[in-house]
Every structure is written in C-alpha cells, then in structure tokens.
Amino acid sequence: MLAALARDLRVQPAPWISPVPLRPGMLGLPDTVSTCLFDLDDVLTDSGVAHATAWAAVFDELLQRIGERTGWQPHPFDRESDYRAYMDGRPRLEGIHAFLDSRGIRLPEGRPQDPAGADTAYGLAKRKSDALARELRRRGVTAVPGARRYLEAAGHAGLRRGVISASTRTSAMLELAGLESLVEAHVDGDVIAGEGLHSRPAPDVLLAACRRLGVPPGDAVSFTHIPAGIAAARAAGVMVVGLGDEEQGEVLRGFGAERVVHSLTSLLDARLVQGGCG
C-alpha cells in the first residue's frame, strides 16, 4: 500500500519497508548499540570528490603564482594523497595551514572579514567555498551505494543516526544526496567553530554528536574512513567500524578499528539487501 501511495504521489525514492523485524545484529552491530555516527564524505556520500576538486583549484592557483614570483615551483595539490593527509575531516583553516606547511609556505591567518582574493588563510577558505559551490552546481553530490538502505535499516531498528563532517555545507550535501530525512542530528563545520571543538583525532566532535542525540558514548558506533576518525572514536569510548579497501583497512586496523569493511552494505543481513540497495 505504501509503495502504491508513493507511486501515486510520485515520491522518489520510494520508501523502503524491511521484510523482517529489525534489531542491531542484522546491521552487523551489537544489540547494545543505540546510535550510529557516520562520516559524511566517502561513507554516506561522494562529497569528498567535490571537496578535493575545490581545494585543488584553490591551491594550484596559489602555488602557480608563488612559482611565477619566486622561480621555485612547489608540487601541485594531489587530489588523493594530499586531500587525505591534510584536508579530509579537518576544518578549513586547520587544513589550509597543514597543507601549506607541507610545501614550506606560510600565510597569515587573516580575519573572517577578508575577501576571497586575499592571500590569507581566511581568504583561501572563502575561495574554496566559492569553488565548492561551483563544483556542486556542476556535478552535485550522490549517496554512496548502500548508504540509503543502511540508514533506513538503522531507523527501522530504532537506532539514532548522526553525521560527522568538518564541512559547513553538510545539510546541503545531505539534501542533494537525498539523505537529510534519514538523519536526526549532525555536527558540522559551523558547530565545530561555534562550540570551539577540536577536530579529530580529538574526541570532541563525537562527544558533541552523542550529546545532541542524548546518548552515552558507550552506546554509539562510529563509521569512519580516516585514521583520525578511528583515533577520535577510541578516545571518546565509542565503538568504531572502519570503511576502506584492503590497503586502507590495514591502516585503519593499525589505528584501532574493531572492524573494517568495504561498505555499509556488507554489514547488512542478506534479507535487507534483496531487491536493490540504494
């Protein structure tokens, strides 16, 4: 009946109803878990690609100008290795300084009022925001395969769902990916700045998410793809599941992940995957 109503109302995607009663064990979790905390980038959505592309546009233009002025050309920004090492999961200003330090470059912090054209950390942050907006208009953001089904299954199992991201555009990205209605709370760049939270590997963002969802850290599980996320979960007393390929998995295990999987889908009971897993 719900499927028929969704067709009549042209609701997309159609709501999914579990074929069996759900409990956490069917999501690959201990029955003591009450809350799931997900990284946004590369766990729920492909937004990491948009972030890396935007940062590359900003940094490569800066590095080229520095090279023309000094005669020394720093290595350009690598969208995979540099993004993961210096930007992924970090607030913008912190990531900017970390990347520039790796190239032996220092820029002043500047002020929040700095225009996008200023060669300050705040100026670069605004340039990145503009570049990201262009990238989102160009390619959008989509949910990682299996992310929607896992979020739906978690909701049917009575689990609370939160999202962790250093981006100030977390809500917009969840909406673009069609996942916003499946999340009860998120801790993003605005919350991190507003509450003066330390970024991961400090436990602050995970503890803040638990507070917003009204649950003790010991009842939560974090799903993350970065070593800093593993370290933060361990420090917060939160169970952690790492997501990555075989090579990434070895690194995540080394940082203390209790379990590493290739995707959220691989955690689901087979009966919950049948009929497609968007």
Side-chain angles (χ1 to χ4, degrees), residues 105-120:
I105 299 170
R106 295 290 180 89
L107 285 183
E109 182 88 350
R111 299 177 299 172
Q113 299 87 352
D114 286 354
D119 280 344
T120 63

Side-chain angles (χ1 to χ4, degrees), residues 39 84-85 88-89 200-202 206 222 224-235 240 242-243 247-257:
D39 281 9
R84 287 189 177 277
D88 197 2
R200 295 180 290 182
L206 292 172
S222 173
T224 183
H225 69 296
I226 57 175
I230 302 293
R234 301 282 292 183
V240 59
L243 282 91
E247 181 179 350
Q248 295 167 331
E250 288 302 312
V251 175
L252 297 177
R253 288 188 189 91
F255 275 82

Side-chain angles (χ1 to χ4, degrees), residues 6-240:
R7 285 195 300 270
D8 291 342
L9 297 177
R10 297 181 180 179
V11 174
Q12 291 293 334
W16 173 76
I17 302 298
S18 172
V20 292
L22 282 175
R23 55 181 179 77
M26 298 180 71
L27 281 73
L29 305 174
D31 286 334
T32 55
V33 167
S34 69
T35 302
C36 296
L37 305 175
F38 302 91
D39 281 9
L40 176 67
D41 301 335
D42 298 327
V43 173
L44 293 183
T45 73
D46 65 352
S47 48
V49 175
H51 283 296
T53 300
W55 280 122
V58 170
F59 283 131
D60 287 351
E61 186 274 336
L62 174 69
L63 296 177
Q64 182 177 354
R65 283 194 290 108
I66 290 174
E68 291 171 352
R69 186 172 69 246
T70 65
W72 165 68
Q73 189 61 58
H75 292 299
F77 180 83
D78 188 287
R79 299 184 188 191
E80 293 187 9
S81 61
D82 285 330
Y83 178 71
R84 287 189 177 277
Y86 305 114
M87 316 308 297
D88 197 2
R90 287 181 170 178
R92 288 176 183 174
L93 296 180
E94 183 181 325
I96 286 168
H97 289 303
F99 171 72
L100 293 180
D101 283 348
S102 77
R103 299 301 194 266
I105 299 170
R106 295 290 180 89
L107 285 183
E109 182 88 350
R111 299 177 299 172
Q113 299 87 352
D114 286 354
D119 280 344
T120 63
Y122 275 105
L124 289 183
K126 287 186 179 178
R127 293 212 284 277
K128 190 267 182 173
S129 181
D130 293 342
L132 179 61
R134 291 193 297 270
E135 187 64 14
L136 293 178
R137 287 194 297 270
R138 187 182 72 83
R139 68 178 294 278
V141 171
T142 58
V144 170
R148 182 177 185 84
R149 178 59 53 84
Y150 199 91
L151 287 169
E152 290 173 324
H156 288 312
L159 304 180
R160 305 278 285 167
R161 298 158 296 185
V163 171
I164 304 295
S165 173
S167 174
T168 59
R169 296 178 180 267
T170 297
S171 291
M173 290 183 177
L174 286 169
E175 185 174 358
L176 285 171
L179 302 177
E180 189 175 27
S181 64
L182 300 176
V183 173
E184 283 78 42
H186 61 260
V187 173
D188 61 8
D190 288 331
V191 175
I192 292 170
E195 297 186 8
L197 304 177
H198 293 97
S199 60
R200 295 180 290 182
D204 298 27
V205 292
L206 292 172
L207 296 175
C210 289
R211 288 195 299 270
R212 285 172 173 253
L213 291 166
V215 299
D219 291 350
V221 56
S222 173
F223 299 88
T224 183
H225 69 296
I226 57 175
I230 302 293
R234 301 282 292 183
V238 172
M239 176 185 170
V240 59

